[in-house]
């Protein structure tokens, strides 16, 4: 059985992606870090539309945590494998660079970039061996392309994730594993709820923030058979804010 793993699947974009996989008939592993209540809510939502899901708690920034959770799942599911990986977990710790504490720099890089490395490296051997059309989607950001003031840590992490996407896509193409990045602009979620939406949406040609479901639809397409020849791409989804 082919499974999907969505890191940071408990809220926002990740939650919408879990529901998308459920609609596509793909069983999904909902990863979360600390918000078990939110993760259980996603599990219930998936089940309510007839989907199959399991919770898989781990901190993407901890190699030990990632390895033990995935190994436990693999031991319990010898006939299944993770064919779709969405590296979605992310955090913001914004500050002007000259005031940024070292911890905030490292925390953001650890979750976005090192998290991508730990989870992807763990799953890659099986994905490449099976040659069954594995899919890796990395949730980058407009910040990683354009750079955003107050977000040097976040922009650096997302920019590096984009570089890694392009490099890895070339390593895995012959094994039929595609690797793409999605670069959302402003999307309504817990991550953006402290932002002045009324002010910021004036910057967006579509005059609104995006919805998590709109990002999830793109993930769904990239995981479909129709998208099998798309790899190494960064796809913007930002209402015309930047291209
Ligand atoms: P969100 O609502 O804040 O949700 C973040 C998710 O990441 C939660 O499920 C959280 O788990 C999980 N997470 C955080 N740290 C983790 C860790 N160390 N290990 C495992 N999971 C962890 O964020 P969002 O807006 O949906 O964003 C999702 C992704 O899209 C992020 O990578 C973000 O950078 C990117 N993005 C978002 C926007 C936007 O406007 N919202 C724009 C561009 C890019 P818990 O529930 O357990 O805390």
């Amino acid at each position: 059985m082919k499974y999907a793993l969505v890191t940071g699947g408990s809220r926002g974009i990740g939650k919408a992606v879990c529901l998308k996989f459920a609609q596509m008939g793909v069983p999904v592993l909902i990863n979360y870090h600390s918000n078990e209540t939110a993760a259980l809510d996603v599990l219930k939502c998936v089940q309510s539309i007839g989907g199959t899901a399991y919770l898989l708690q781990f901190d993407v920034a901890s190699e030990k945590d990632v390895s033990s959770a995935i190994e436990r799942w693999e031991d319990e599911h010898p006939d299944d494998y993770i064919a779709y990986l969405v590296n979605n977990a992310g955090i913001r710790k914004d500050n002007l660079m000259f005031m940024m504490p070292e911890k905030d720099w490292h925390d953001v890089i650890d979750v976005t970039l090192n998290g991508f490395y730990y989870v992807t490296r763990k799953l890659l051997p099986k994905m490449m061996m099976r040659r069954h059309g594995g899919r890796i989607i990395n949730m980058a950001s407009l910040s990683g392309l354009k750079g955003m003031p107050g977000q040097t840590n976040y922009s650096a992490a997302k920019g590096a994730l984009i570089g890694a996407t392009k490099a890895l896509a070339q390593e895995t193409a012959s094994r039929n594993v595609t690797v793409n990045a999605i670069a959302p602009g402003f999307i309504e979620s817990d991550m953006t709820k402290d932002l002045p939406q009324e002010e910021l949406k004036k910057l967006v040609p579509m005059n609104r923030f995006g919805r998590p479901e709109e990002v999830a639809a793109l993930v769904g397409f990239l995981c479909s058979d129709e998208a099998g020849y798309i790899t190494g791409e960064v796809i913007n989804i930002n209402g015309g804010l930047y291209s």
Side-chain angles (χ1 to χ4, degrees):
M1 197 71 176
K2 285 178 169 188
Y3 274 70
L5 168 60
V6 182
T7 69
S10 50
R11 291 185 283 125
I13 295 171
K15 174 180 179 177
V17 171
C18 290
L19 289 167
K20 183 64 182 175
F21 279 121
Q23 286 163 7
M24 293 164 67
V26 177
V28 60
L29 303 176
I30 305 164
N31 161 255
Y32 67 102
H33 182 211
S34 51
N35 196 334
E36 188 177 16
T37 310
L40 282 166
D41 177 59
V42 181
L43 178 64
K44 268 197 213 145
C45 291
V46 167
Q47 288 169 341
S48 72
I49 57 168
T52 305
Y54 300 92
L55 298 190
L56 202 61
Q57 190 281 333
F58 58 83
D59 176 359
V60 295
S62 157
E63 196 276 333
K64 208 164 129 252
D65 241 32
V66 170
S67 283
S68 61
I70 292 176
E71 279 165 22
R72 208 176 326 117
W73 182 82
E74 286 177 340
D75 288 347
E76 288 165 7
H77 294 81
D79 299 326
D80 303 324
Y81 88 108
I82 295 166
Y84 310 103
L85 167 61
V86 185
N87 287 303
N88 168 76
I91 55 169
R92 265 178 58 208
K93 291 200 174 180
D94 298 352
N95 213 328
L96 295 174
M97 176 84 169
F98 81 98
M99 293 194 296
M100 185 176 290
E102 191 176 337
K103 185 173 180 338
D104 290 2
W105 175 266
H106 287 293
D107 283 353
V108 170
I109 305 269
D110 279 349
V111 173
T112 288
L113 187 59
N114 297 337
F116 151 79
Y117 167 69
Y118 295 139
V119 179
T120 308
R121 186 187 56 170
K122 190 76 193 161
L123 299 181
L124 262 179
K126 285 197 177 143
M127 266 192 195
M128 290 175 69
M129 240 164 47
R130 301 242 179 182
R131 299 181 187 228
H132 274 177
R135 298 282 196 267
I136 299 170
I137 317 284
N138 298 322
M139 206 54 74
S141 169
L142 166 68
S143 305
L145 289 167
K146 182 185 176 293
M148 295 292 266
Q151 290 197 320
T152 49
N153 50 357
Y154 187 85
S155 302
K158 297 297 191 184
L161 186 61
I162 287 169
T165 300
K166 293 181 180 183
L168 184 60
Q170 295 171 69
E171 291 183 14
T172 61
S174 65
R175 303 301 177 106
N176 210 18
V177 175
T178 68
V179 188
N180 290 290
I182 293 178
F186 294 116
I187 307 296
E188 283 174 358
S189 75
D190 289 347
M191 186 175 273
T192 52
K193 71 180 178 203
D194 63 326
L195 299 179
Q197 188 170 152
E198 285 310 305
E199 282 306 303
L200 289 172
K201 76 180 191 186
K202 291 180 196 151
L203 305 173
V204 183
M206 284 197 177
N207 198 35
R208 66 173 177 89
F209 277 22
R211 293 187 300 275
E213 294 72 23
E214 292 172 316
V215 182
L218 179 53
V219 174
F221 171 66
L222 288 172
C223 289
S224 69
D225 290 344
E226 286 85 350
Y229 201 53
I230 301 174
T231 197
E233 286 298 324
V234 187
I235 303 179
N236 285 306
I237 175 161
N238 60 31
L241 183 57
Y242 183 80
S243 57

